[in-house]
Amino acid sequence: MAPRRIAASFSAAFLLLLPAVASGGLSSYFGTKSRYEEVNPHLVQDPLSLGPTVAGSRLPAPCTPLQLRAVLRHGTRYPTTGQIRRLGELHARLLRRPAAAAAACPAAADLAAWQMWYEESLDGRLAPQGRRDMEHLARRLAARFPALFASRHRLVLASSSKHRCLQSGDAFRRGLGPSLSLSGHEIEIEVNDSLMRFFDHCAKFVALVEENEAAMCQVNAFKEGPEMKEVLEKVASALCLPVEELNADLVQVAFLTCSYELAIKNVTSPWCLLFSEEDAKVLEYLNDLKQYWKRGYGYDINSRSSCILFQDIFQHLDKVVEESKSSKPISSPLIVQVGHAETLQPLLALMGFFRDAEPLKANNYIRQMHRKFRSGQIVPYAANLVFVLYHCDQVKTPKEEYQVQMLLNEKLMLFHHSNETISTYADLKDYYKDILENCHFKEECELPKVNITAVDEL
Ligand SMILES: *[C@@H]1O[C@H](CO)[C@@H](O)[C@H](O)[C@H]1NC(C)=O
Ligand SMILES: *[C@@H]1O[C@H](CO)[C@@H](O)[C@H](O)[C@H]1NC(C)=O
Ligand SMILES: *[C@@H]1O[C@H](CO)[C@@H](O)[C@H](O)[C@H]1NC(C)=O
Ligand SMILES: *[C@@H]1O[C@H](CO)[C@@H](O)[C@H](O)[C@H]1NC(C)=O
């Protein structure tokens, strides 16, 4: 294979610390319910565009990509059954109000007229927009890495067992074109929950975080705190409802509906009119707090449980290096795995990305105004973390022969150990040596023998 220079086709805004250009209104505060366009606004115009190109992201020597490994979040999905049920209750409450009260409240009247079209059976399934998210992502990745995707019949595709992930995998495959394999058979999607839903398989995480109410004390405190109280009062007044009839969960469901209607139907629904930008920031913080304590830096076990996936990524990279050194063909040039926000967030925390100096807490909303940990910027729908391993020629030292780049949502990431967007594979492994050698899923996830439920012992 002739060495090809890597086209400098990465977005200029690759510094992930820069806030994305808000596409107007509240949509930059939708947290994990954010559209992918929120982090790549150029896609609104053209979903296949690779974005503004930038000089300076060129690799130092002629390099050929050997392997691309992508960990994806599924595309845009419908609300879950629980959310749909709560929305139904809130909507019914508005419909029950006397006509006189409704007349005094234009917002409430608009909402009463809104058609409740979500059915419980939609339960978190992939929406048609979610299929498009994946097809377009596949086509953009193929355009960025044409040499690798030329061998797309050797794509290894894995997924969580959830319907929306399998459907996303299928849409990704479709995005790459019709007949993938030489024999005309479609590439199979392997279900692997121990890699893509490691959190379900980690007893310590399940017992001490997932099913431990006390672990979410910061989230619950924020729900009762002054910022949320103010939002509740404003929403109650807009709806002409007594504030006692509302709570944080109902208000959150109204805000979620605003985000779902935009992501799924591309409309600004009347639910959005209940919220100002200030309210949206508070509700975004509530969403981020939950992600932080349940999936992020809040508790070590959240990220440690992902070391099984982290190690799997490096095992495959090691294998590629070995094959390359012995001049063998690369057995898996393309590995794409579809999971959840809950798959990506812990993995990024394990690697130390988006870590703020102070923890996110119920009482530091203002101090966290400029936090790095903003879920909507990290794991919107169709979020993707891509590792690319290169073989480079004409290098000065042997270790420069193998280099790695990481892209989050198609933007180059800065490695922590070098503050650069490329690293030798050896340096990267050295930086993460402790996780690679000392993090063992089985031991990390074992429940401690003593009965601990107190949060400060986690
Ligand atoms: C899932 O992936 C892991 C790591 O590659 C592997 O050991 C395991 O056998 C796989 N499980 C299934 C069900 O394929
Ligand atoms: C979404 O709506 C906006 C504004 O109405 C429109 O410009 C855009 O083309 C729509 N996008 C899609 C994918 O339909
Ligand atoms: C990291 O690199 C960026 C640009 O590449 C530069 O602006 C920034 O100051 C650097 N940060 C550190 C800590 O060196
Ligand atoms: C652990 O202790 C808590 C309260 O101290 C108790 O409710 C719970 O049942 C105990 N769990 C086990 C497994 O002993």
Side-chain angles (χ1 to χ4, degrees):
M1 214 185 320
R4 303 177 75 240
R5 230 168 217 293
I6 309 304
S9 55
F10 299 115
S11 165
F14 66 85
L15 295 176
L16 289 159
L17 309 175
L18 296 178
V21 183
S23 54
L26 311 179
S27 60
S28 55
Y29 307 110
F30 288 163
T32 50
K33 306 298 176 286
S34 296
R35 300 179 303 170
Y36 189 66
E37 288 79 3
E38 223 48 60
V39 295
N40 280 307
H42 62 272
L43 298 176
V44 172
Q45 290 294 318
D46 175 5
L48 297 179
S49 157
L50 300 187
T53 55
V54 62
S57 65
R58 212 176 286 276
L59 296 174
C63 298
T64 316
L66 297 179
Q67 185 183 58
L68 179 145
R69 163 74 162 243
V71 183
L72 316 181
R73 183 191 183 196
H74 57 77
T76 303
R77 66 161 170 83
Y78 291 112
T80 58
T81 297
Q83 290 163 343
I84 293 170
R85 199 168 292 158
R86 270 199 295 280
L87 174 61
E89 283 166 21
L90 178 61
H91 192 236
R93 198 168 300 185
L94 295 175
L95 289 176
R96 274 199 308 271
R97 287 143 18 96
C105 271
D110 283 352
L111 286 172
W114 177 82
Q115 186 72 33
M116 171 65 191
W117 64 278
Y118 298 96
E119 289 167 11
E120 289 184 15
S121 60
L122 289 173
D123 191 19
R125 290 188 164 238
L126 194 69
Q129 179 57 43
R131 291 198 72 85
R132 292 192 286 274
D133 293 339
M134 286 291 134
E135 284 177 17
H136 293 152
L137 175 63
R139 291 174 66 180
R140 290 192 306 272
L141 285 179
R144 279 187 207 283
F145 300 99
L148 280 174
F149 279 84
S151 52
R152 66 190 208 280
H153 56 279
R154 284 193 289 148
L155 168 71
V156 173
L157 197 52
S159 170
S160 124
S161 60
K162 286 279 173 183
H163 190 267
R164 57 182 170 276
C165 297
L166 288 160
Q167 293 279 297
S168 291
D170 183 60
F172 187 94
R173 181 171 62 183
R174 246 173 227 234
L176 295 180
S179 170
L180 272 173
S181 76
L182 299 174
S183 59
H185 292 298
E186 288 249 83
I187 280 163
E188 300 234 351
I189 304 178
E190 288 167 29
V191 172
N192 195 327
D193 279 345
S194 50
L195 282 185
M196 303 322 288
R197 295 181 62 82
F198 49 78
F199 40 91
D200 280 348
H201 298 247
C202 184
K204 185 173 173 185
F205 170 77
V206 171
L208 301 187
V209 181
E210 180 92 71
E211 292 177 351
N212 180 9
E213 194 54 34
M216 291 302 115
C217 60
Q218 294 296 330
V219 180
N220 294 330
F222 191 72
K223 284 183 182 173
E224 305 295 327
E227 293 87 3
M228 275 305 293
K229 189 158 177 270
E230 204 171 306
V231 175
L232 278 176
E233 280 165 2
K234 277 158 74 177
V235 171
S237 132
L239 293 175
C240 303
L241 280 178
V243 72
E244 306 75 49
E245 283 197 29
L246 283 181
N247 58 40
D249 293 336
L250 284 173
V251 167
Q252 208 177 6
V253 126
F255 188 61
L256 277 175
T257 307
C258 164
S259 67
Y260 278 121
E261 298 270 283
L262 181 68
I264 296 169
K265 294 172 74 174
N266 192 28
V267 296
T268 301
S269 98
W271 293 98
C272 305
L273 301 177
L274 293 176
F275 304 99
S276 68
E277 189 170 355
E278 289 312 306
D279 302 333
K281 287 181 185 172
V282 171
L283 290 159
E284 181 198 23
Y285 193 67
L286 178 59
N287 188 282
D288 285 348
L289 264 182
K290 184 168 163 215
Q291 289 296 312
Y292 183 88
W293 291 97
K294 210 165 188 174
R295 309 292 173 182
Y297 292 103
Y299 303 109
D300 280 347
I301 189 62
N302 299 353
S303 59
R304 298 294 279 185
S305 59
S306 77
C307 64
I308 187 169
L309 176 57
F310 184 77
Q311 288 163 355
D312 185 73
I313 293 168
F314 281 78
Q315 277 159 18
H316 280 89
L317 293 170
D318 278 349
K319 189 169 169 212
V320 172
V321 170
E322 247 169 66
E323 288 170 342
S324 162
K325 279 187 172 158
S326 50
S327 306
K328 287 189 190 146
I330 306 304
S331 49
S332 324
L334 286 173
I335 304 177
V336 174
Q337 298 174 311
V338 194
H340 306 264
E342 295 81 355
T343 314
L344 278 167
Q345 196 91 264
L347 183 63
L348 288 162
L350 187 71
M351 299 182 77
F353 291 106
F354 307 105
R355 180 171 210 149
D356 294 289
E358 286 179 42
L360 275 63
K361 292 197 166 180
N363 65 7
N364 64 4
Y365 169 69
I366 298 284
R367 290 172 66 87
Q368 292 289 4
M369 219 51 170
H370 302 287
R371 65 191 176 276
K372 295 179 193 157
F373 196 88
R374 287 188 69 208
S375 308
Q377 293 292 302
I378 307 170
V379 286
Y381 293 123
N384 50 92
L385 179 65
V386 171
F387 294 78
V388 188
L389 178 70
Y390 296 96
H391 179 265
C392 300
D393 291 316
Q394 300 165 24
V395 291
K396 290 189 218 71
T397 61
K399 82 170 181 184
E400 287 172 25
E401 208 177 320
Y402 295 98
Q403 310 238 11
V404 193
Q405 287 189 317
M406 275 175 61
L407 298 96
L408 180 65
N409 303 329
E410 299 171 82
K411 287 173 237 173
L412 285 168
M413 295 184 90
L414 287 171
F415 289 106
H416 279 167
H417 59 280
S418 61
N419 193 33
E420 286 181 21
T421 57
I422 186 151
S423 165
T424 68
Y425 183 51
D427 286 347
L428 183 65
K429 274 180 69 170
D430 193 52
Y431 184 66
Y432 289 117
K433 196 171 173 198
D434 187 53
I435 305 173
L436 288 170
E437 289 175 4
N438 300 324
C439 184
H440 302 292
F441 181 83
K442 207 163 158 263
E443 289 157 30
E444 299 285 337
C445 289
E446 217 160 30
L447 264 177
K449 301 261 187 301
V450 287
N451 181 358
I452 52 162
T453 46
V455 164
D456 50 312
E457 292 179 63
L458 267 179

